[in-house]
Amino acid sequence: VQLQASGGGLVQAGGSLRLSCAASGSRFSIHVMGWYRQAPGKQRELVAAISSGGSTNYAGSVKGRFTVSRDNAKNTVYLQMNSLKPEDTAVYYCNADIYEPTGWRDYWGQGTQVTVSS
């Protein structure tokens, strides 16, 4: 399974970016897709996730500013980021949880850099 993320970049504080991540190569349904981020010197943290049924989960720091959505037919997850802050600067990774015959598997994208200037 491959996850291809796109949409990162440099934006000023208060601006917006939209990340996309397309999954390919899975023979099984993708249960949860989501976004994590890792800033320099910090641990990777969950940003937002969405189940195949549309249930969402957000980190407290992004609630009200970020919106996660997905297109199940395209196995694609999106992250609309509004009102960006310098502290949102990080490498953003997409993630997919898939239940395979051998059990749950986690897959990760290559990461896309988001830089928010003050």
Side-chain angles (χ1 to χ4, degrees), residues 20-82:
S20 300
C21 176
S24 61
S26 176
R27 295 187 293 139
F28 309 101
S29 296
I30 301 175
H31 178 52
V32 178
M33 298 188 78
W35 294 93
Y36 288 71
R37 68 187 181 187
Q38 188 166 19
K42 295 187 177 181
Q43 290 188 331
R44 190 174 297 190
E45 63 175 357
L46 172 69
V47 177
I50 183 168
S51 71
S52 56
S55 297
T56 57
N57 184 31
Y58 292 93
S61 59
V62 308
K63 278 184 180 178
R65 299 188 297 122
F66 292 9
T67 302
V68 63
S69 60
R70 67 188 280 177
D71 183 332
N72 289 331
K74 296 181 179 180
N75 282 338
T76 299
V77 63
Y78 307 94
L79 185 67
Q80 178 65 44
M81 304 184 292
N82 298 328

Side-chain angles (χ1 to χ4, degrees), residues 9-17 83-90 113-118:
L10 172 64
V11 66
Q12 287 188 333
S16 298
L17 283 174
S83 302
L84 282 160
K85 303 176 181 180
E87 51 263 44
D88 295 317
T89 295
Q113 177 72 45
V114 171
T115 303
V116 184
S117 63
S118 58

